[in-house]
Amino acid sequence: MSRNKQAPPQEAAAPMAAGVELHAMRRRVRLSRVVLWALIAAGPIALGLSLTSISASSAVAAAAPDPPTATVRTTAVPADPSGYSQLFINTWLRSSADDLASAQARLAQSMAPNVELPDPVPDAQSTPVSVTAVRSAQSAQGVWSVTVAAQYADGRVRYYAVPVAADRAGTSFTVTGAPGVVAGPVRAEAPTSVYGVRVPEGDLSSAVGEFLAAYLSGAGEVERYLAPGVELTAVSPAPYTAVVVQEVSAVQEAAAGTQVPADGTKVGVLVQVEARDADGRWPLAYELALASRSGRWEISAMESGTAQSGGAR
């Protein structure tokens, strides 16, 4: 064949590919026939078992139910309007009816469209230094009363009750009326402390003192005072230059012993310390859980808040 009449490579490759595919199909047909004749030669029982297996597999696949779909249900929790009320009082006390165009006045009116603005005399010292929501109560669906404390530079504290309405979703609020000045919350009676065992100077008081010195002033590594598996990170940067233990009290009598008890003994203690920096001295308190191991006390946990019941942590 002349060079001009030779088929292009693409056209020559197509019949070859078709031939390969046809050859593969013939091999699969021949193989299927061989398997079928083998089953027939083995007898009707083998053939029946093979067909039954195929039918059973198809039936199981068809009957298998779809995997259950997990249903996630979320319940909307109405938001507490304490922050909204706190912002309103802070803005309302800083606004004036004589300056309705000020940013404070416009914000206060947007939060409480039907509430009049105060009218302080010129140069009046009526601006608070801090405003904090101290109590909130829901009296009905979407109806709240929030008590907000305003503290002034001269030490005065004035409490305001703010009526607030919330939408059904609890995501939008509005102040429905002028705030009212009310009495502040009554001081609650403190519960009896569970730390009734006085701990004398010794191994335990030294352990907690050295730990808190490392934790607050960077005097040493915190890790060396911790029980195995416990992770606590020192305050950084260190806020104090020195930490002095004033008093240690415990829940369990084992903490007051003159010697470290057997391994695994657990106690809970309250440590009163005096922290010092360039600005003065600061009384602080820490609740710690300790465990004995190899003749020493180790910190096993730092508790938050005040414990109300006895027992090791």
Side-chain angles (χ1 to χ4, degrees):
M1 181 182 295
S2 64
R3 182 171 301 179
N4 294 335
K5 293 184 179 181
Q6 290 181 352
Q10 295 83 352
E11 296 179 4
M16 293 178 62
V20 171
E21 184 177 355
L22 180 59
H23 180 67
M25 291 177 61
R26 288 174 178 172
R27 290 188 60 185
R28 288 195 294 270
V29 171
R30 286 198 298 269
L31 181 60
S32 300
R33 289 176 179 174
V34 170
V35 173
L36 180 59
W37 283 111
L39 291 173
I40 294 174
I45 296 178
L47 181 59
L49 290 174
S50 176
L51 295 177
T52 303
S53 176
I54 294 173
S55 301
S57 299
S58 302
V60 170
D66 294 334
T69 303
T71 302
V72 179
R73 298 180 180 179
T74 57
T75 302
V77 178
D80 189 329
S82 296
Y84 189 88
S85 304
Q86 177 178 319
L87 176 62
F88 168 72
I89 287 295
N90 185 61
T91 304
W92 186 76
L93 291 174
R94 297 173 188 275
S95 61
S96 173
D98 292 335
D99 188 7
L100 299 180
S102 69
Q104 299 288 355
R106 287 186 282 111
L107 179 57
Q109 289 184 319
S110 69
M111 301 177 73
N114 299 321
V115 176
E116 294 185 9
L117 298 179
D119 187 16
V121 299
D123 301 326
Q125 302 296 320
S126 58
T127 302
V129 294
S130 66
V131 176
T132 306
V134 297
R135 180 180 179 273
S136 62
Q138 187 176 15
S139 58
Q141 179 66 35
V143 180
W144 293 77
S145 177
V146 181
T147 303
V148 179
Q151 183 178 12
Y152 296 84
D154 58 4
R156 289 179 298 125
V157 178
R158 188 166 289 173
Y159 295 89
Y160 295 87
V162 184
V164 183
D167 64 358
R168 294 183 62 87
T171 57
S172 300
F173 307 104
T174 185
V175 176
T176 59
V181 175
V182 296
V186 179
R187 186 180 64 185
E189 186 174 334
T192 303
S193 175
V194 298
Y195 299 100
V197 179
R198 184 180 179 278
V199 178
E201 292 186 7
D203 294 327
L204 192 148
S205 60
S206 296
V208 297
E210 292 173 5
F211 163 72
L212 290 174
Y215 183 75
L216 296 171
S217 67
E221 298 294 331
V222 169
E223 291 76 11
R224 63 175 298 190
Y225 303 103
L226 303 180
V230 177
E231 296 183 4
L232 285 174
T233 304
V235 180
S236 181
Y240 303 107
T241 57
V243 177
V244 179
V245 174
Q246 301 295 310
E247 183 179 351
V248 181
S249 53
V251 178
Q252 299 84 0
E253 291 287 346
T258 57
Q259 295 183 344
V260 179
D263 287 6
T265 303
K266 299 179 180 180
V267 296
V269 300
L270 175 65
V271 187
Q272 309 280 351
V273 300
E274 181 183 85
R276 302 173 183 175
D277 61 9
D279 296 324
R281 298 179 297 174
W282 313 96
L284 306 175
Y286 292 88
E287 288 181 293
L288 302 173
L290 294 92
S292 61
R293 188 175 71 95
S294 301
R296 64 190 293 257
W297 287 106
E298 296 176 329
I299 309 299
S300 58
M302 175 180 286
E303 306 292 342
S304 59
T306 301
Q308 301 300 327
S309 61
R313 311 303 195 276

Short mmCIF file of all heavy atoms in Angstrom, two decimals, residues 35 116 279:
data_model
loop_
_atom_site.label_atom_id
_atom_site.label_comp_id
_atom_site.label_asym_id
_atom_site.label_seq_id
_atom_site.Cartn_x
_atom_site.Cartn_y
_atom_site.Cartn_z
N VAL A 35 -19.11 -22.79 33.16
CA VAL A 35 -19.66 -22.86 34.52
C VAL A 35 -21.02 -23.53 34.52
O VAL A 35 -21.34 -24.37 35.38
CB VAL A 35 -19.75 -21.44 35.12
CG1 VAL A 35 -20.48 -21.48 36.45
CG2 VAL A 35 -18.36 -20.85 35.28
N GLU A 116 -39.57 58.53 77.52
CA GLU A 116 -38.98 59.87 77.50
C GLU A 116 -37.53 59.82 77.98
O GLU A 116 -37.15 58.96 78.80
CB GLU A 116 -39.78 60.81 78.41
CG GLU A 116 -41.20 61.08 77.93
CD GLU A 116 -41.89 62.11 78.81
OE1 GLU A 116 -41.19 62.72 79.66
OE2 GLU A 116 -43.10 62.29 78.64
N ASP A 279 1.51 47.58 92.82
CA ASP A 279 0.38 48.42 93.19
C ASP A 279 -0.18 48.12 94.57
O ASP A 279 -1.08 48.83 95.03
CB ASP A 279 -0.74 48.26 92.15
CG ASP A 279 -0.32 48.75 90.77
OD1 ASP A 279 0.42 49.74 90.69
OD2 ASP A 279 -0.71 48.12 89.78
#
